[in-house]
Amino acid sequence: MLMIDPIPLEDLALLDVLQQISQASESTHVETEIKKRLIESALIEDHEEGVRLTHAGIALCKSLQHRVAADKLASEIIEKRESVD
């Protein structure tokens, strides 16, 4: 049986936060500690309308989205192969 390592929960949580920031208005609330860590990591920056993703934050968000999509596709392929066998 072929297995793939699932994307870590921490990465899924980070993707969720980054997506919320990218899609939201100034009303998006980010926990203070998380906001501090994201700013230190250069993934978000304070802006006059709230926080927004930096170029690095956008790139990481896209990368995590691709990983989730690739994992889903890989799982589907594995399931199809196993059902044929």
Side-chain angles (χ1 to χ4, degrees):
M1 173 185 235
L2 187 60
M3 296 288 295
I4 58 170
D5 291 330
I7 187 168
L9 289 176
E10 295 84 6
D11 288 348
L12 289 173
L14 176 58
L15 174 59
D16 185 53
V17 170
L18 293 176
Q19 287 177 324
Q20 287 179 31
I21 291 169
S22 72
Q23 297 170 356
S25 64
E26 62 274 358
S27 63
T28 301
H29 174 72
V30 179
E31 296 279 336
T32 305
E33 186 59 32
I34 294 172
K35 179 179 173 181
K36 179 182 171 196
R37 291 178 67 190
L38 292 173
I39 289 173
E40 289 173 354
S41 299
L43 298 175
I44 66 170
E45 60 189 4
D46 272 318
H47 192 260
E48 54 199 35
E49 290 115 26
V51 293
R52 66 178 179 190
L53 296 179
T54 62
H55 292 294
I58 293 168
L60 180 58
C61 189
K62 287 181 180 180
S63 175
L64 291 171
Q65 288 172 330
H66 289 297
R67 169 69 194 273
V68 168
D71 284 1
K72 182 179 178 186
L73 180 60
S75 292
E76 290 170 359
I77 291 170
I78 290 169
E79 286 177 24
K80 284 180 184 177
R81 286 183 182 171
E82 289 176 351
S83 69
V84 171
D85 292 340

